[in-house]
Amino acid sequence: MPGGFDMNQYGKYHEGKLTERKELAQIFTSGHGSPYIACVSMANTAKFFKAILDGLLHRGTAFVQSFTSCQPEHGIPDNMSQTQALRIRDSRGVPEFTYNSALGESDSEAFDIKSNPRADRDWQVKKDADKNEYNFDVTQWAFTEGRFRKHFFKLKEGEEKISLHEMLIRVNQNDVTHRKYLDKTHRSFIPLKGVYVDVVDENGKKKRMGISRHLVLFAIERRKNWRKLQSRSGIKNKDYEAQK
């Protein structure tokens, strides 16, 4: 959604797309006979190679989608591709799954998302250098890629209005779709500036940064995508139940 630069425009009136991302691999799992579908990456090499082998052996349509970063476009060092694959998987940016229709005729039998950490919660939890836990959401991954740099900014005194964590409790994707996040009287109102997050760098040090409204929308959209995967896999999300 908020990719930026030559991938989509960023400016005074426009910070990226507002539409939810179309998940090609997930589309193929519905209404496509009896396929084998995998969305994997080098974040988990064992699962990556097993998915390819299982796809080759499947009697029917097989589709394997593998995430990889574009090193120069995304501002990533050449030796960091596997690390970035791990970060985007753990942040729910591109969660891994396999869909093997040979395992049963219901989605909960065919889907497997267990290679994603904390498969029954919204976000992975990691620890900073001081051993304090924090949510590893999509903003933590986005902070490591150059294409998102316009969506982070230094906070001036008094600009810390609301944390991303609090914002995510207030807003769901339906609020975004119906543009309720623009209504100052609605619980889901997202200020253009004022939402902040404590990003953790590669050394485990926390740094408080302001984030764009669009990056908040991105976190909500990726959370919904993850929750849909959990639902189809037969997993109840404890955080979603608490939010409701």
Side-chain angles (χ1 to χ4, degrees):
M1 285 174 68
F5 307 123
D6 56 328
M7 287 174 277
N8 63 57
Q9 296 300 309
Y10 182 103
K12 185 177 180 181
Y13 300 104
H14 185 56
E15 295 180 344
K17 296 183 295 179
L18 284 169
T19 51
E20 295 171 69
R21 195 169 82 191
K22 291 178 282 293
E23 296 289 334
L24 184 62
Q26 290 183 49
I27 290 170
F28 284 155
T29 65
S30 302
H32 200 290
S34 300
Y36 175 86
I37 309 295
C39 182
V40 290
S41 74
M42 290 302 284
N44 186 332
T45 52
K47 190 174 185 69
F48 173 82
F49 288 114
K50 186 177 187 303
I52 292 173
L53 291 171
D54 288 347
L56 289 169
L57 294 170
H58 185 71
R59 295 298 296 270
T61 300
F63 176 82
V64 177
Q65 176 176 295
S66 178
F67 169 83
T68 184
S69 50
C70 176
Q71 314 301 90
E73 191 74 57
H74 300 174
I76 301 164
D78 289 343
N79 64 336
M80 292 289 284
S81 59
Q82 188 168 19
T83 300
Q84 288 305 105
L86 191 69
R87 285 170 174 166
I88 194 171
R89 183 202 66 180
D90 288 357
S91 71
R92 316 301 193 205
V94 181
E96 290 186 344
F97 74 86
T98 55
Y99 180 87
N100 189 346
S101 56
L103 298 178
E105 297 188 359
S106 67
D107 275 352
S108 61
E109 292 172 298
F111 263 102
D112 180 6
I113 65 169
K114 293 176 183 176
S115 62
N116 299 279
R118 295 186 95 222
D120 63 343
R121 307 302 289 263
D122 277 339
W123 311 111
Q124 156 75 311
V125 167
K126 296 190 178 185
K127 291 185 178 181
D128 62 22
D130 298 319
K131 307 299 181 185
N132 296 314
E133 292 187 343
Y134 67 97
N135 287 337
F136 193 80
D137 54 59
V138 285
T139 63
Q140 300 292 336
W141 157 69
F143 186 68
T144 68
E145 297 207 355
R147 56 180 167 150
F148 297 107
R149 64 176 175 264
K150 287 189 176 183
H151 293 276
F152 294 89
F153 50 87
K154 292 181 180 179
L155 289 161
K156 296 177 182 177
E157 189 174 348
E159 284 187 332
E160 298 179 8
K161 295 178 182 176
I162 185 169
S163 70
L164 175 65
H165 173 73
E166 176 66 27
M167 204 74 257
L168 289 175
I169 294 173
R170 299 186 185 189
V171 193
N172 59 44
Q173 183 61 36
N174 191 53
D175 298 323
V176 178
T177 301
H178 293 280
R179 305 296 190 265
K180 292 179 182 179
Y181 71 92
L182 296 171
D183 181 357
K184 291 184 178 181
T185 66
H186 197 268
R187 58 164 168 76
S188 66
F189 173 69
I190 304 172
L192 192 61
K193 288 190 175 183
V195 181
Y196 66 88
V197 65
D198 291 327
V199 293
V200 180
D201 65 22
E202 58 187 16
N203 297 315
K205 297 295 184 182
K206 277 187 177 179
K207 182 180 183 181
R208 183 156 292 186
M209 298 289 291
I211 57 175
S212 70
R213 176 188 282 163
H214 225 79
L215 204 57
V216 180
L217 301 181
F218 184 43
I220 295 163
E221 187 264 349
R222 286 294 82 196
R223 182 182 64 181
K224 179 196 173 185
N225 173 67
W226 170 241
R227 286 174 172 178
K228 286 175 66 178
L229 268 178
Q230 289 172 311
S231 174
R232 296 185 71 184
S233 304
I235 294 174
K236 183 173 285 190
N237 182 323
K238 297 176 183 177
D239 295 318
Y240 185 36
E241 293 300 312
Q243 185 191 22
K244 286 192 291 184

